[in-house]
Amino acid sequence: MDSAPPAAAIVAQGLTKTYGARGKRPAVQALKAVDLSIPTGSFFGLLGPNGAGKSTFINILAGLVKKSAGTVSVWGHDLDSDMRRARASIGVMPQELNLDPFFTAFEAVEFQAGLYGVPKPERRTAEILDMLRLTDVAQAWSRSLSGGMRRRLLLAKAMAHTPPVLVLDEPTAGVDVELRHLLWSNLKRLNGEGVTILLTTHYLEEAEELCDRIAIIHRGQLVASETTAQMVRRIDRKEMHLKLGHAPAAMPQSLAKFDPELRPDNTLVVRYAPSRTSVAEVLAAVQAGNLEILDLTTEQSDLEEVFLALTSG
């Protein structure tokens, strides 16, 4: 690998993919001139509804799908003119459990490292299996492993040649909460060590928890790409929930502009736009209403609201 890492780990420019017509099925344009730059060292989320083009994007990176137009580079290596080094710079964890049933867990990772030309003295198989808590089943056939262990083994295979870029396609699909948090912990650790991670997931809370940047793709087009914080701020709405000692006889006039709602459990909800209204202003209006407040919490828009707003219609 190059001594100085590139500024962007993955760069796509004008990336287009059209699947040709088959029988009665018309041609489908899965990607439409996508321009996307994924900064080196980032934990990057690629989100979108089913059929949006995420898997096509990943499969192009993995060399499984041939693009129709545009350019792609991985770790500074063009996917067309320098395919060998581009492929060596990336490790892909697929969504499908595509493991050889006749390999043990140890053999699966060793074989993957061998495919990438990693000399035996430099292989990290035992270290990787230990990180993913697979040491106890290192000599077990992959076909005998539980679903969660197989998912971890897929990640181990993706890490076998120590690539600077990891691409994870729905890594926690169908796994239990404990395993999900184990994978999260490992991925955060890898990213902290400098590995660039591209994640696709349908669990939006997962993307919000892990990713520092997020792109949303819809119907083959990139509709947003920015930091997670910027993405969440797209919906400028926040709620303050006030638990009252007793319900007021009438809603205070001072709260009229905050769209107040009194719920049956004596919780008063007031809504405001953080970009235009400060918390102090809201609290001053509450205080002017002479309300007995027992407790106070706030809720703000999350990634799910932004996602739905960008991909509806």
Side-chain angles (χ1 to χ4, degrees):
M1 300 298 169
D2 298 334
S3 56
I10 297 173
V11 178
Q13 295 181 315
L15 185 60
T16 300
K17 173 60 184 177
T18 302
Y19 293 100
R22 285 188 179 181
K24 295 182 178 180
R25 193 185 72 179
V28 175
Q29 193 171 24
L31 293 175
K32 304 173 183 177
V34 170
D35 292 331
L36 182 62
S37 179
I38 298 177
T40 293
S42 64
F43 203 132
F44 198 97
L46 181 63
L47 310 181
N50 288 330
K54 305 185 302 299
S55 293
T56 296
F57 184 86
I58 287 178
N59 287 335
I60 289 173
L61 294 177
L64 300 176
V65 168
K66 186 176 181 180
K67 59 186 173 60
S68 302
T71 62
V72 182
S73 66
V74 179
W75 210 245
H77 308 299
D78 185 84
L79 204 58
D80 291 328
S81 61
D82 198 2
M83 182 180 68
R84 183 179 293 273
R85 287 202 287 179
R87 292 288 305 279
S89 301
I90 195 169
V92 179
M93 178 185 177
Q95 184 177 351
E96 298 79 15
L97 297 173
N98 59 349
L99 296 168
D100 190 317
F102 300 103
F103 278 178
T104 65
F106 187 89
E107 289 169 343
V109 180
E110 278 285 293
F111 183 74
Q112 189 77 2
L115 286 177
Y116 283 90
V118 181
K120 283 194 174 184
E122 298 177 19
R123 295 179 189 175
R124 304 168 49 237
T125 301
E127 175 191 342
I128 293 170
L129 292 175
D130 183 62
M131 176 193 298
L132 297 175
R133 298 184 191 174
L134 290 171
T135 301
D136 291 345
V137 295
Q139 301 306 322
W141 301 115
S142 61
R143 63 178 180 270
S144 70
L145 301 180
S146 68
M149 290 178 179
R150 293 183 190 186
R151 285 233 167 266
R152 280 179 274 164
L153 184 53
L154 287 177
L155 178 56
K157 287 181 60 180
M159 296 167 56
H161 59 295
T162 318
V165 183
L166 278 177
V167 177
L168 314 175
D169 190 5
E170 301 285 349
T172 61
V175 304
D176 60 38
V177 174
E178 182 180 3
L179 176 56
R180 183 173 300 166
H181 282 274
L182 171 62
L183 288 172
W184 286 8
S185 175
N186 285 317
L187 295 177
K188 287 178 180 179
R189 172 182 167 182
L190 289 168
N191 184 240
E193 293 172 352
V195 177
T196 303
I197 297 178
L198 171 60
L199 169 76
T200 75
T201 179
H202 280 102
Y203 300 116
L204 299 184
E205 73 279 6
E206 179 170 74
E208 194 165 358
E209 167 72 22
L210 295 175
C211 300
D212 51 69
R213 298 189 66 88
I214 286 174
I216 295 179
I217 192 168
H218 182 46
R219 294 178 179 172
Q221 295 180 305
L222 194 69
V223 295
S225 180
E226 54 201 19
T227 68
T228 305
Q230 290 172 325
M231 189 78 73
V232 171
R233 284 199 298 269
R234 277 175 172 255
I235 296 184
D236 189 22
R237 182 173 66 246
K238 198 167 185 177
E239 293 183 350
M240 185 177 291
H241 293 217
L242 306 156
K243 183 68 175 179
L244 305 181
H246 55 83
M251 191 62 64
Q253 186 60 35
S254 61
L255 295 175
K257 68 176 182 177
F258 296 113
D259 187 24
E261 173 194 355
L262 183 63
R263 296 178 177 174
D265 63 350
N266 279 356
T267 296
L268 176 64
V269 180
V270 293
R271 301 172 177 87
Y272 61 101
S275 66
R276 301 191 301 272
T277 305
S278 67
V279 173
E281 185 179 347
V282 179
L283 291 175
V286 171
Q287 187 177 25
N290 295 317
L291 301 173
E292 180 188 1
I293 301 172
L294 304 180
D295 196 11
L296 181 154
T297 59
T298 59
E299 292 184 6
Q300 62 185 30
S301 59
D302 58 16
L303 186 58
E304 182 174 353
E305 292 182 74
V306 180
F307 179 84
L308 292 173
L310 291 172
T311 60
S312 60

